[in-house]
Amino acid sequence: RIMPVRWSRYNPSYLEPEVKKELYQKPLEELTEEEREQMEHKAVRPIKAAPPTLSSSVFSDPTISKFTNMMMKSGNKVLARSLMSQTLEAIKRKQLEKYHKAPENEKETIECNPYVIFHQALKNCQPIIGLSNITKGGKTYQVPVPLTDNRKRFLAMKWLITECRENKHRRTMMPEKLSQELLLAFNNEGPVIKRKHVLHKMAEANRAYAHFRWW
Amino acid sequence: QLERGCALHTAARDGLSPVPSQDVPAERPRAVFHTSESDPAKHTEQHEGRLYNIPLEEVKAVFPHGLPHRFQQQIQTFNEARVMVRKPALELLAYLKGSNLAHPAVRYVIYGERGTGKTMTLCHVVHYCSRQGWLVLHIPDAHLWVKNCKELFQSSYNKQRLDQPLQASVWLKNFKTSNERFLQEIKTQKKYMWGKRESTEEGRPLREVVEQGLARVRSASDAVGVVLREIKQQSHRGAFRLLVAVDGVNALWGQTTLRKEDKSPVSPEELTLVHNLRKMLRNDWSGGAIVTTLSQTGSLFKPSSAYTPQELLGKEGFDALDPFVPIPVPNYSPREFESCYGYYLERKWLQHEKAHTEDGKAELRFLSGSNPRQLDRLAGPL
């Protein structure tokens, strides 16, 4: 893990907080040499303050936290988190209703876990290749460019959120619309998947400019 | 699927007494926290902490209104209605079974902190009484009558009072669904005039009064008043037993958020519905029981930490309801928590992988503090 060092105001002697319970519950004999050294360090060196997003709960998920942060407006994390939990519950209810009404042989194909659906839908929405504006000779060209993992994840989440905010009826609630979009994306349908395909087609059309990229 | 259902946690195993054979039928081994006894009259301490099933047709007939919203959603998702048998409900049922109907009606007040299961206890009692053939007067939430009223008319019967046609007609419709046969049998004892031309003669079945209230929405509140009065006067004869079940009874003695046209505040006794209901809650009639619930969640101008009868009812309400039998409803005991957790696992409500582990269960127990509502809200997204 690369720690942000350049703008950090902490003295370099400060250690990161360790939240995982399993490491503290291990008896002394099972620890390796490095871990024993680390434990001794913890007794002597000061430790940084834990950020509020760091949680020791078994149910915390970093992707879900990232998505909640992106949904948040003007710092209202309480509202964003409640919307997220209502979305997950809505997905679960819809899938469970379908599951209980389905005949026996189809029951295994229906996925009821909202987390699995969320992760799969995000993966289906991630573009493989992106476009970047490169200016050469006074003209700006849209050049196809490989994307990093972080950028892909960010684009998928951004598209989902903008889609749900803009293309819905005034009276529909966000959790309902989001659950709809996530279920569609899980089955590779829906407007977000279409947007991804449009981006891929643009990148394919602009293949000729690919050599403008210098990185 | 079967392994999860039959998993017996050590705490539950210690707490549960040896199960007689008819409770866990051999042909379909449902887990220990279910019981096949769906008649509340036969529930005893042995069934404590277990969930019993109410058939869906009965739910529609007995509870047209009155079940909490989250529970209704749960019924729709799981396709079944399972209610947990808990100690306060068993206590109330024992009192009702042993009550002498010749004596004046005893008042029971169910109180407790937020989300501990007061409304569900009331619903359990209502189910028992409707199975036994009592006439059930169930007001789902008295707070709905003292706030957010779009139409307030001056009552034609008494100039000082105010009518609420919408709330009255909604209640009459639900009352009709739950008590069809009683409306046919009970006859009016007086002639009632609705305005200048319409009237209901003496000796007509009560169903006509209800239909009159539904047809002429303006006189719906007066129809409600007539219904309550007739039922109260005839209950001591013994032809039927009456249960008055009111949820959120502290609304009747608090303040309202309604205002008259000259912007002066309305006090509860100026509303016809509230006035008639207060007359019903006095113990000057016999042949039944009055079971009420306090509720802070919908209450007006009361602090959120208030849950005792003294705080929520105020002096006026407490004096009006005094003497009553208080029934406290606590959070889940360890056994009840195991039962609820097992039920969610069996119905696949807890989908997160970590929720099936011991760590997940301990975390749920800690975060919810064994409070039923918090557990339900926490288990939603998981």
Side-chain angles (χ1 to χ4, degrees), chain A residues 72-110:
Chain A
M72 173 165 65
K73 274 190 187 178
S74 35
N76 197 347
K77 179 86 114 199
V78 173
L79 183 62
R81 200 170 139 163
S82 75
L83 286 176
M84 193 70 218
S85 52
Q86 282 169 38
T87 315
L88 292 170
E89 194 177 332
I91 299 177
K92 192 164 45 153
R93 264 190 218 275
K94 286 184 196 172
Q95 292 295 97
L96 270 182
E97 273 180 33
K98 248 198 285 183
Y99 179 88
H100 285 303
K101 287 189 188 139
E104 285 299 326
N105 48 353
E106 280 178 25
K107 278 200 181 180
E108 278 123 25
T109 50
I110 299 179

Side-chain angles (χ1 to χ4, degrees), chain A residues 121-131 145-160 192-201 203:
Chain A
L122 263 190
K123 233 196 295 194
N124 290 350
C125 290
Q126 283 177 5
I128 308 176
I129 193 167
L131 288 174
V145 130
L147 297 171
T148 57
D149 268 334
N150 278 344
R151 179 81 187 153
K152 286 183 199 168
R153 254 198 305 268
F154 170 77
L155 278 175
M157 294 196 211
K158 186 87 182 169
W159 289 342
L160 262 176
V192 194
I193 302 284
K194 240 170 78 168
R195 189 164 169 178
K196 173 184 93 156
H197 287 327
V198 158
L199 181 65
H200 283 174
K201 281 197 198 120

Side-chain angles (χ1 to χ4, degrees), chain B residues 73-282:
Chain B
Q73 281 180 326
Q74 190 183 308
I75 294 181
Q76 223 202 345
T77 317
F78 296 165
N79 230 12
E80 63 174 9
R82 289 238 163 220
V83 179
M84 195 186 280
V85 178
R86 296 181 74 193
K87 227 190 226 136
L90 286 172
E91 199 185 321
L92 243 185
L93 291 180
Y95 291 154
L96 284 176
K97 282 180 206 171
S99 60
N100 185 350
L101 295 166
H103 290 169
V106 185
R107 286 178 287 214
Y108 303 95
V109 171
I110 306 175
Y111 71 99
E113 298 196 333
R114 258 205 278 193
T116 46
K118 305 182 281 284
T119 313
M120 290 309 291
T121 317
L122 191 72
C123 292
H124 192 148
V125 173
V126 163
H127 185 219
Y128 163 77
C129 291
S130 61
R131 273 272 185 138
Q132 297 286 307
W134 292 37
L135 171 61
V136 170
L137 209 75
H138 187 35
I139 287 105
D141 196 358
H143 292 295
L144 296 174
W145 288 358
V146 298
K147 56 180 177 176
N148 299 341
C149 181
K150 299 273 165 67
E151 297 173 1
L152 262 184
F153 298 121
Q154 204 187 29
S155 163
S156 48
Y157 182 70
N158 186 338
K159 289 287 170 231
Q160 264 80 37
R161 290 202 217 128
L162 295 162
D163 256 356
Q164 283 157 302
L166 290 171
Q167 276 90 341
S169 57
V170 159
W171 185 79
L172 274 177
K173 204 161 57 146
N174 290 326
F175 180 64
K176 203 168 102 165
T177 349
S178 55
N179 295 309
E180 291 283 357
R181 67 181 180 96
F182 286 110
L183 291 176
Q184 211 49 43
E185 290 168 0
I186 304 175
K187 310 282 180 207
T188 53
Q189 286 177 332
K190 209 178 93 161
K191 182 171 163 180
Y192 295 104
M193 297 291 299
W194 311 108
K196 288 197 199 122
R197 274 163 238 152
E198 288 133 10
S199 70
T200 312
E201 305 296 321
E202 196 180 316
R204 306 295 299 160
L206 254 191
R207 146 191 290 274
E208 289 193 11
V209 175
V210 174
E211 313 246 300
Q212 170 72 34
L214 283 174
R216 291 255 167 278
V217 184
R218 278 248 171 182
S219 54
S221 326
D222 293 324
V224 171
V226 164
V227 162
L228 291 181
R229 187 203 152 110
E230 287 299 319
I231 292 179
K232 186 167 161 179
Q233 279 173 346
Q234 299 186 19
S235 62
H236 70 270
R237 287 192 204 154
F240 57 88
R241 288 164 294 180
L242 176 61
L243 174 79
V244 179
V246 185
D247 203 336
V249 77
N250 47 324
L252 304 179
W253 284 282
Q255 293 162 295
T256 67
T257 41
L258 306 173
R259 284 181 184 259
K260 290 186 244 190
E261 269 142 19
D262 53 355
K263 311 274 183 171
S264 58
V266 173
S267 74
E269 56 264 342
E270 289 176 33
L271 294 166
T272 0
L273 289 172
V274 174
H275 182 87
N276 292 327
L277 197 54
R278 278 199 201 179
K279 281 196 280 188
M280 206 66 197
L281 291 178
R282 274 191 292 185

Side-chain angles (χ1 to χ4, degrees), chain A residues 21-22 56-60 84-86 88-89 92-93 96-97 99-100 111-116, chain B residues 70 73-74 76-78 347-355 359-360 363-364 377 379-382:
Chain A
K21 279 189 276 200
E22 290 88 27
S56 65
S57 154
V58 291
F59 303 123
S60 62
M84 193 70 218
S85 52
Q86 282 169 38
L88 292 170
E89 194 177 332
K92 192 164 45 153
R93 264 190 218 275
L96 270 182
E97 273 180 33
Y99 179 88
H100 285 303
E111 178 60 58
C112 290
N113 192 336
Y115 293 86
V116 165
Chain B
R70 293 252 345 164
Q73 281 180 326
Q74 190 183 308
Q76 223 202 345
T77 317
F78 296 165
R347 281 273 110 185
K348 295 184 188 296
W349 186 236
L350 289 172
Q351 286 277 333
H352 197 115
E353 318 78 44
K354 291 285 162 97
D359 277 339
E363 191 165 323
L364 276 177
R377 295 189 91 113
L382 286 180

